[in-house]
Amino acid sequence: MTIFEKIASGEIPAKLIHETEDFVAFHDNNPQAPVHVLIIPRKCILRVALAEAAHADMLGRMLLASREIAEKLGVLESGYRLVINNGRDAGESVPHLHIHLLAGRALQWPPG
Ligand code: 5GP
């Protein structure tokens, strides 16, 4: 089981912000912005490059849920960034697909 599967099942505690049958969102424990949430599928997909057509509906709903989460956390109007790190050069550190939702400060572009 990945660390994120353990969070999704409740085995490891996390501050959940949103959950559905097949994905959950929780606060990152090493936040890089005042708002830093991770949206993950309950069942591990290693990374977005390994997602399959069967995951398309859930991935779409995860993206749509980001709006609801941003609204819940009061950053819908100020703005937020969604990031998926895929592989070594992107800085992926947990091999379980996750969407970062970052907000609450002016974010730099391009990212470092
Ligand atoms: P990546 O670098 O793979 O794109 O992002 C992994 C993220 O997971 C990092 O931002 C890291 O802080 C977060 N993270 C890793 N382990 C845990 C954990 O046990 N709990 C929570 N809430 N976040 C975690």
Side-chain angles (χ1 to χ4, degrees):
M1 252 186 155
T2 66
I3 194 159
F4 285 178
E5 280 177 300
K6 288 182 182 170
I7 286 175
S9 71
E11 197 178 324
I12 291 180
K15 289 199 282 177
L16 290 195
I17 178 86
H18 186 90
E19 59 182 320
T20 71
E21 197 180 301
D22 50 6
F23 65 89
V24 300
F26 56 91
H27 292 273
D28 198 293
N29 69 356
N30 182 23
Q32 301 302 310
V35 170
H36 189 170
V37 167
L38 302 171
I39 308 169
I40 66 160
R42 286 185 186 275
K43 283 192 193 157
C44 182
I45 300 168
L46 281 177
R47 58 188 55 85
V48 72
L50 294 174
E52 296 171 3
H55 301 129
D57 177 66
M58 178 187 69
L59 291 173
R61 286 184 287 104
M62 286 167 66
L63 270 183
L64 292 174
S66 66
R67 182 197 192 281
E68 215 175 298
I69 294 165
E71 190 164 32
K72 217 181 261 185
L73 295 174
V75 296
L76 185 59
E77 296 305 323
S78 53
Y80 55 98
R81 182 175 293 167
L82 302 178
V83 174
I84 300 176
N85 293 324
N86 186 94
R88 187 194 58 214
D89 280 359
E92 177 198 304
S93 63
V94 177
H96 181 140
L97 191 158
H98 46 283
I99 303 172
H100 295 258
L101 188 159
L102 296 146
R105 65 174 171 82
L107 299 165
Q108 301 295 307
W109 191 263

mmCIF file of all heavy atoms in Angstrom, residues 3 5 9 24-25 28 30-31 34-35 44 61 66 70 74 81 92 100-102 105 110-111:
data_model
loop_
_atom_site.group_PDB
_atom_site.id
_atom_site.type_symbol
_atom_site.label_atom_id
_atom_site.label_comp_id
_atom_site.label_asym_id
_atom_site.label_seq_id
_atom_site.Cartn_x
_atom_site.Cartn_y
_atom_site.Cartn_z
ATOM 1 N N ILE A 3 1.652 5.266 0.799
ATOM 2 C CA ILE A 3 1.321 6.147 1.930
ATOM 3 C C ILE A 3 -0.023 6.854 1.663
ATOM 4 O O ILE A 3 -0.835 7.046 2.580
ATOM 5 C CB ILE A 3 2.468 7.137 2.192
ATOM 6 C CG1 ILE A 3 2.291 7.796 3.543
ATOM 7 C CG2 ILE A 3 2.617 8.172 1.114
ATOM 8 C CD1 ILE A 3 3.577 8.368 4.094
ATOM 9 N N GLU A 5 -2.528 5.655 -0.197
ATOM 10 C CA GLU A 5 -3.626 4.686 -0.020
ATOM 11 C C GLU A 5 -3.958 4.565 1.467
ATOM 12 O O GLU A 5 -5.117 4.436 1.846
ATOM 13 C CB GLU A 5 -3.227 3.323 -0.594
ATOM 14 C CG GLU A 5 -3.377 3.232 -2.107
ATOM 15 C CD GLU A 5 -2.910 1.897 -2.643
ATOM 16 O OE1 GLU A 5 -1.716 1.567 -2.444
ATOM 17 O OE2 GLU A 5 -3.713 1.190 -3.257
ATOM 18 N N SER A 9 -7.535 5.366 3.209
ATOM 19 C CA SER A 9 -8.290 4.367 3.978
ATOM 20 C C SER A 9 -8.423 4.762 5.446
ATOM 21 O O SER A 9 -9.102 4.072 6.208
ATOM 22 C CB SER A 9 -7.601 3.005 3.876
ATOM 23 O OG SER A 9 -6.388 3.038 4.609
ATOM 24 N N VAL A 24 -10.047 11.242 -2.814
ATOM 25 C CA VAL A 24 -10.092 12.075 -1.605
ATOM 26 C C VAL A 24 -9.146 13.262 -1.771
ATOM 27 O O VAL A 24 -8.203 13.213 -2.566
ATOM 28 C CB VAL A 24 -9.678 11.301 -0.321
ATOM 29 C CG1 VAL A 24 -10.577 10.125 -0.063
ATOM 30 C CG2 VAL A 24 -8.243 10.867 -0.348
ATOM 31 N N ALA A 25 -9.388 14.302 -0.992
ATOM 32 C CA ALA A 25 -8.498 15.462 -0.980
ATOM 33 C C ALA A 25 -8.173 15.784 0.475
ATOM 34 O O ALA A 25 -9.036 15.700 1.361
ATOM 35 C CB ALA A 25 -9.173 16.649 -1.656
ATOM 36 N N ASP A 28 -1.760 19.014 2.417
ATOM 37 C CA ASP A 28 -0.367 18.549 2.375
ATOM 38 C C ASP A 28 0.277 18.794 3.750
ATOM 39 O O ASP A 28 0.027 19.831 4.372
ATOM 40 C CB ASP A 28 0.382 19.323 1.282
ATOM 41 C CG ASP A 28 1.675 18.650 0.865
ATOM 42 O OD1 ASP A 28 2.611 18.590 1.694
ATOM 43 O OD2 ASP A 28 1.756 18.188 -0.293
ATOM 44 N N ASN A 30 3.402 19.287 4.277
ATOM 45 C CA ASN A 30 4.561 20.180 4.141
ATOM 46 C C ASN A 30 4.181 21.264 3.127
ATOM 47 O O ASN A 30 4.710 21.314 2.012
ATOM 48 C CB ASN A 30 5.778 19.379 3.675
ATOM 49 C CG ASN A 30 7.023 20.232 3.560
ATOM 50 O OD1 ASN A 30 7.133 21.288 4.203
ATOM 51 N ND2 ASN A 30 7.963 19.817 2.725
ATOM 52 N N PRO A 31 3.232 22.131 3.534
ATOM 53 C CA PRO A 31 2.620 23.042 2.563
ATOM 54 C C PRO A 31 3.602 24.039 1.958
ATOM 55 O O PRO A 31 4.436 24.602 2.657
ATOM 56 C CB PRO A 31 1.537 23.756 3.378
ATOM 57 C CG PRO A 31 1.920 23.580 4.798
ATOM 58 C CD PRO A 31 2.697 22.296 4.886
ATOM 59 N N PRO A 34 -0.020 28.949 1.506
ATOM 60 C CA PRO A 34 -1.009 28.948 2.607
ATOM 61 C C PRO A 34 -2.102 27.892 2.412
ATOM 62 O O PRO A 34 -2.608 27.333 3.380
ATOM 63 C CB PRO A 34 -1.560 30.371 2.568
ATOM 64 C CG PRO A 34 -0.426 31.188 2.023
ATOM 65 C CD PRO A 34 0.235 30.306 0.991
ATOM 66 N N VAL A 35 -2.477 27.661 1.149
ATOM 67 C CA VAL A 35 -3.400 26.547 0.841
ATOM 68 C C VAL A 35 -2.626 25.553 -0.010
ATOM 69 O O VAL A 35 -2.083 25.911 -1.061
ATOM 70 C CB VAL A 35 -4.649 27.046 0.075
ATOM 71 C CG1 VAL A 35 -5.458 25.862 -0.453
ATOM 72 C CG2 VAL A 35 -5.507 27.938 0.961
ATOM 73 N N CYS A 44 -4.339 3.260 -6.095
ATOM 74 C CA CYS A 44 -3.132 3.844 -6.677
ATOM 75 C C CYS A 44 -3.065 3.735 -8.199
ATOM 76 O O CYS A 44 -3.185 2.655 -8.765
ATOM 77 C CB CYS A 44 -1.903 3.180 -6.060
ATOM 78 S SG CYS A 44 -0.377 3.896 -6.683
ATOM 79 N N ARG A 61 -13.504 14.104 -12.826
ATOM 80 C CA ARG A 61 -14.226 14.521 -11.614
ATOM 81 C C ARG A 61 -13.262 15.074 -10.564
ATOM 82 O O ARG A 61 -13.612 15.961 -9.791
ATOM 83 C CB ARG A 61 -15.059 13.360 -11.077
ATOM 84 C CG ARG A 61 -16.302 13.115 -11.948
ATOM 85 C CD ARG A 61 -17.233 12.035 -11.429
ATOM 86 N NE ARG A 61 -16.684 10.706 -11.610
ATOM 87 C CZ ARG A 61 -16.153 9.948 -10.646
ATOM 88 N NH1 ARG A 61 -16.125 10.386 -9.410
ATOM 89 N NH2 ARG A 61 -15.671 8.755 -10.904
ATOM 90 N N SER A 66 -11.690 20.254 -7.829
ATOM 91 C CA SER A 66 -10.742 21.284 -7.394
ATOM 92 C C SER A 66 -11.446 22.633 -7.244
ATOM 93 O O SER A 66 -11.105 23.428 -6.372
ATOM 94 C CB SER A 66 -9.564 21.386 -8.372
ATOM 95 O OG SER A 66 -9.997 21.865 -9.630
ATOM 96 N N ALA A 70 -11.462 24.752 -3.879
ATOM 97 C CA ALA A 70 -10.999 26.145 -3.877
ATOM 98 C C ALA A 70 -12.065 27.052 -3.263
ATOM 99 O O ALA A 70 -11.756 27.967 -2.487
ATOM 100 C CB ALA A 70 -10.661 26.588 -5.300
ATOM 101 N N GLY A 74 -11.884 29.297 0.210
ATOM 102 C CA GLY A 74 -11.929 30.753 0.042
ATOM 103 C C GLY A 74 -10.934 31.313 -0.949
ATOM 104 O O GLY A 74 -10.551 32.483 -0.861
ATOM 105 N N ARG A 81 -3.522 27.233 -8.299
ATOM 106 C CA ARG A 81 -2.779 26.511 -9.331
ATOM 107 C C ARG A 81 -2.911 25.013 -9.093
ATOM 108 O O ARG A 81 -2.793 24.551 -7.950
ATOM 109 C CB ARG A 81 -1.297 26.919 -9.302
ATOM 110 C CG ARG A 81 -0.474 26.227 -10.393
ATOM 111 C CD ARG A 81 0.957 26.741 -10.411
ATOM 112 N NE ARG A 81 1.003 28.142 -10.822
ATOM 113 C CZ ARG A 81 2.073 28.927 -10.686
ATOM 114 N NH1 ARG A 81 3.181 28.442 -10.157
ATOM 115 N NH2 ARG A 81 2.031 30.182 -11.073
ATOM 116 N N GLU A 92 8.520 14.511 -8.764
ATOM 117 C CA GLU A 92 7.569 13.569 -8.137
ATOM 118 C C GLU A 92 8.275 12.819 -7.008
ATOM 119 O O GLU A 92 9.340 12.250 -7.224
ATOM 120 C CB GLU A 92 7.083 12.578 -9.208
ATOM 121 C CG GLU A 92 6.159 11.503 -8.667
ATOM 122 C CD GLU A 92 6.058 10.324 -9.642
ATOM 123 O OE1 GLU A 92 5.698 10.521 -10.809
ATOM 124 O OE2 GLU A 92 6.363 9.207 -9.206
ATOM 125 N N HIS A 100 -1.808 18.618 -7.017
ATOM 126 C CA HIS A 100 -1.593 19.639 -5.992
ATOM 127 C C HIS A 100 -2.528 20.809 -6.294
ATOM 128 O O HIS A 100 -2.618 21.251 -7.445
ATOM 129 C CB HIS A 100 -0.174 20.203 -6.059
ATOM 130 C CG HIS A 100 0.923 19.230 -5.747
ATOM 131 N ND1 HIS A 100 1.564 19.198 -4.535
ATOM 132 C CD2 HIS A 100 1.520 18.282 -6.502
ATOM 133 C CE1 HIS A 100 2.516 18.265 -4.566
ATOM 134 N NE2 HIS A 100 2.511 17.696 -5.749
ATOM 135 N N LEU A 101 -3.180 21.339 -5.291
ATOM 136 C CA LEU A 101 -3.929 22.599 -5.413
ATOM 137 C C LEU A 101 -3.226 23.600 -4.496
ATOM 138 O O LEU A 101 -3.176 23.408 -3.274
ATOM 139 C CB LEU A 101 -5.393 22.401 -5.005
ATOM 140 C CG LEU A 101 -6.348 23.588 -5.250
ATOM 141 C CD1 LEU A 101 -7.796 23.103 -5.307
ATOM 142 C CD2 LEU A 101 -6.223 24.680 -4.195
ATOM 143 N N LEU A 102 -2.615 24.601 -5.123
ATOM 144 C CA LEU A 102 -1.828 25.596 -4.381
ATOM 145 C C LEU A 102 -2.485 26.963 -4.500
ATOM 146 O O LEU A 102 -2.905 27.356 -5.608
ATOM 147 C CB LEU A 102 -0.421 25.669 -4.972
ATOM 148 C CG LEU A 102 0.408 24.394 -4.835
ATOM 149 C CD1 LEU A 102 1.321 24.203 -6.026
ATOM 150 C CD2 LEU A 102 1.200 24.413 -3.539
ATOM 151 N N ARG A 105 -1.278 32.751 -2.011
ATOM 152 C CA ARG A 105 -0.221 33.744 -2.225
ATOM 153 C C ARG A 105 0.003 33.845 -3.728
ATOM 154 O O ARG A 105 -0.437 32.961 -4.490
ATOM 155 C CB ARG A 105 1.083 33.371 -1.510
ATOM 156 C CG ARG A 105 1.762 32.111 -2.026
ATOM 157 C CD ARG A 105 3.121 31.913 -1.353
ATOM 158 N NE ARG A 105 3.730 30.619 -1.653
ATOM 159 C CZ ARG A 105 4.416 30.331 -2.748
ATOM 160 N NH1 ARG A 105 4.581 31.248 -3.699
ATOM 161 N NH2 ARG A 105 4.943 29.138 -2.935
ATOM 162 N N PRO A 110 7.777 31.207 -14.508
ATOM 163 C CA PRO A 110 7.634 29.757 -14.482
ATOM 164 C C PRO A 110 8.078 29.161 -13.152
ATOM 165 O O PRO A 110 8.861 29.791 -12.427
ATOM 166 C CB PRO A 110 8.576 29.306 -15.612
ATOM 167 C CG PRO A 110 9.607 30.379 -15.682
ATOM 168 C CD PRO A 110 8.906 31.653 -15.339
ATOM 169 N N PRO A 111 7.596 27.945 -12.831
ATOM 170 C CA PRO A 111 8.008 27.294 -11.590
ATOM 171 C C PRO A 111 9.491 26.947 -11.674
ATOM 172 O O PRO A 111 10.034 26.804 -12.759
ATOM 173 C CB PRO A 111 7.139 26.031 -11.535
ATOM 174 C CG PRO A 111 6.669 25.804 -12.926
ATOM 175 C CD PRO A 111 6.684 27.124 -13.634
#
